[in-house]
Amino acid sequence: MRRVVLISLLAASLSGCSSISSTWNNWFGDEKSKPAPLEALSGPATGRIVWSAKGGDITFPLSIATPADRFVVASIDGQVRALSAADGSELWRGDVGNKLLAGVGSDGRFAAVVNRDNELVVLDAGKVTWKKALPTPVVAAPLVAGERVFALTLDRQVLAFDALDGRKIWELKRPGEPLTLAKAGVLLAYKDTLVVGQGPRLAGIDPVKGQLRWEASVATPRGTNEVERLADLVGPAQRQGELICARAFQSSVGCINAERGSALWNRVVGGTNGIGADSQIVVAGDASDRLSAWKLANGDLAWSADQFQRRKLSEPVVIGKQILVGDFEGQLHLIDRDTGKTRSRLATDGSAVVTITVLGETALVATKNGGLFAIKAE
C-alpha cells in the first residue's frame, strides 16, 4: 500500500534523514544560521501597494485563483471571497461552514475548496451548491475548467466531477511512488489536456475520459532509501507557451514540452517551494534560500543571488522586469529579473508571506495573518 508522508508546513523541507539536522540548524541553529539581514537600499521604489484587504488567517497551502478580472481567495475558517483585481472591492463572499485543507480553484463562476472533513465543496457566486467526500486527503487546490472540477489527492489519484451537480465523471488511479509528499502538488490545464504531477513526472490526461496521453520526468530520484528518493512535484508550476516548468521536491527544477509530452531540461537544485517564470527565465530558491534563474529555452544559468539566505522565502513570481518574493517577516523584495540584484523592498503586516499570484500587471500577496496586498511594479 502506498504511504503518504504527513509533513507539516514547518517541516515540509525535510526530504530525508540526511537533511533533517541541516535544515533544523538553518532555522533554529547558531549565529551562522540566522536569517541574512536586510540589505541597505537607497534607490527609488520600484513597486507599490495599490490596495490591501484583510481576511482570516491562512494556515493551509492557499492557492489564489485568477479568473478573468478577479482574485479568488480563502482563509482557514472557510471564508471564500472574490476580489476585484482593479481595486480590491468584494464581488462575492461565501462560507463553506468548516475549516479548509485546500483551495482555491475557480473559473470565474464556480469556486472549489476542500474542507477539514475532506469534502470537495463547490460554490457558485459564493453560494455552496454541492459537496462530495473524497477517498484520500487533499492539499492541492482543485482545478475548475470546462464545467468540470478536478481534484488531486495525496496518493495522486485524479478525480473529475461535473461542476453543476457534483456527479463523478471519472477517476484515474495509477501505480505510484512508495511515498508521497503532504504538500500541494501540480494540477493545471494545457489547451485540452489536464496536466498533473505524479511523483517526479508530469502526466498529460484527457480531461473528458480520464485517459493518460503522455508523461515526462522533471527529476530522476536518487538516494539509498525511499525518503531520500522522494521527489514529488511541488506547486505552483508555471506554463509559458508550450512549456510547463516545475520543481521536484529537494531534487531539481525542470521544464517539459507539453505539446510533445517530452522533457526539455532539468537542473539539480534543492528546495521545497514552487517556482516563477516568464518568457525569458525560470527562477527558484534552494533549501538555503539562494535564488537562481535559468534561461527558459535551454536551462542555462542566468544568475544566482544569495542576499536572502535563510529568510524562509515564498515562491517567487515574475512581474514586468522584476521578480517579487516574500519572506518570513512579511517583507516583499523586488529584484531585477536580468541580474538578481535587489532593487527595492515593501513591508506588509509582519507575518510570513504564504503565497503570491500574478494577474496581468498586478501581483496579489497573501500573508499568514490574512493580509492581502496588491502590488504593481514600476
Side-chain angles (χ1 to χ4, degrees), residues 158-180:
V158 188
L159 301 100
F161 299 88
D162 189 295
L164 292 170
D165 58 17
R167 174 178 55 88
K168 186 168 76 171
I169 301 171
W170 54 260
E171 63 179 282
L172 178 64
K173 297 180 181 179
R174 301 184 62 221
E177 308 303 315
L179 296 179
T180 56

Side-chain angles (χ1 to χ4, degrees), residues 58 60-65 71-82 92-107 109-124 126-134 136-145 148-153 159 161 163 166 187:
I58 302 170
F60 69 103
L62 172 69
S63 295
I64 301 173
F71 295 105
V72 184
V73 300
S75 53
I76 189 65
D77 60 5
Q79 295 289 320
V80 183
R81 295 183 293 161
W92 56 257
R93 175 191 292 255
D95 187 348
V96 305
N98 200 344
K99 291 186 176 182
L100 297 186
L101 285 177
V104 180
S106 178
D107 63 356
R109 175 184 173 183
F110 298 104
V113 296
V114 178
N115 67 21
R116 284 285 179 89
D117 292 331
N118 208 49
E119 293 175 319
L120 177 62
V121 185
V122 170
L123 304 93
D124 185 347
K127 180 180 178 181
V128 174
T129 57
W130 56 266
K131 300 179 181 181
K132 287 286 183 178
L134 297 172
T136 52
V138 171
V139 293
L143 175 69
V144 185
R148 287 175 169 79
V149 181
F150 302 97
L152 175 66
T153 67
L159 301 100
F161 299 88
L187 183 64

